């Protein structure tokens, strides 16, 4: 079942997402976050985390680096610096200024 859900997200990434302009306010993108959450936390918790992330990705939020945390949470990752390469984090913040 997990592979099926990941396949749906990959289909979206390959065929549907390129039709629209890039609008995700986070790194990694919401679809990549969903895949990572499914892999790390399983079908139920991963799906809930992914959907919560999609809801958080809206024009009223500034976005930023938000990798999947090791523990289940519906909130934004409070310490992304523990998960991401410093070069990626710095590059993302530089592009947002």
């Amino acid at each position: 079942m997990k592979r099926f859900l990941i396949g749906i997200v990959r289909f979206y990434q390959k065929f549907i997402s390129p039709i629209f302009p890039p609008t995700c306010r986070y790194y990694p993108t919401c679809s990549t976050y969903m895949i990572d959450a499914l892999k790390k936390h399983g079908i139920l918790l991963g799906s809930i985390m992914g959907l919560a992330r999609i809801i958080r990705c809206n024009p009223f939020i500034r976005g930023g680096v938000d990798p999947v945390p090791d523990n289940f949470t519906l909130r934004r990752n409070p310490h992304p610096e523990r998960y991401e390469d410093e070069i990626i984090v710095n590059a993302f913040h530089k592009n947002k200024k």
Side-chain angles (χ1 to χ4, degrees):
M1 183 68 168
K2 185 187 325 184
R3 288 171 57 184
F4 176 72
L5 292 175
I6 290 172
I8 291 172
V9 176
R10 292 214 189 273
F11 177 84
Y12 166 81
Q13 288 177 324
K14 192 168 190 165
F15 297 107
I16 298 172
S17 181
I19 296 171
F20 302 103
T23 57
C24 190
R25 300 178 172 285
Y26 288 104
Y27 178 86
T29 63
C30 293
S31 57
T32 302
Y33 184 96
M34 175 70 90
I35 291 172
D36 293 345
L38 287 168
K39 287 179 180 177
K40 191 178 268 191
H41 297 288
I43 297 168
L44 182 62
L45 296 180
S47 296
I48 292 169
M49 288 179 74
L51 292 173
R53 166 69 178 276
I54 291 168
I55 292 169
R56 283 196 314 265
C57 190
N58 64 66
F60 304 107
I61 304 295
R62 80 179 154 88
V65 177
D66 182 32
V68 177
D70 292 332
N71 299 319
F72 174 79
T73 182
L74 297 178
R75 296 188 173 145
R76 183 179 171 146
N77 190 337
H79 300 290
E81 68 277 359
R82 295 183 187 165
Y83 297 89
E84 292 299 318
D85 184 5
E86 186 176 320
I87 295 169
I88 294 171
V89 172
N90 290 338
F92 183 84
H93 290 299
K94 183 189 296 183
N95 291 336
K96 286 294 184 177
K97 289 180 181 177

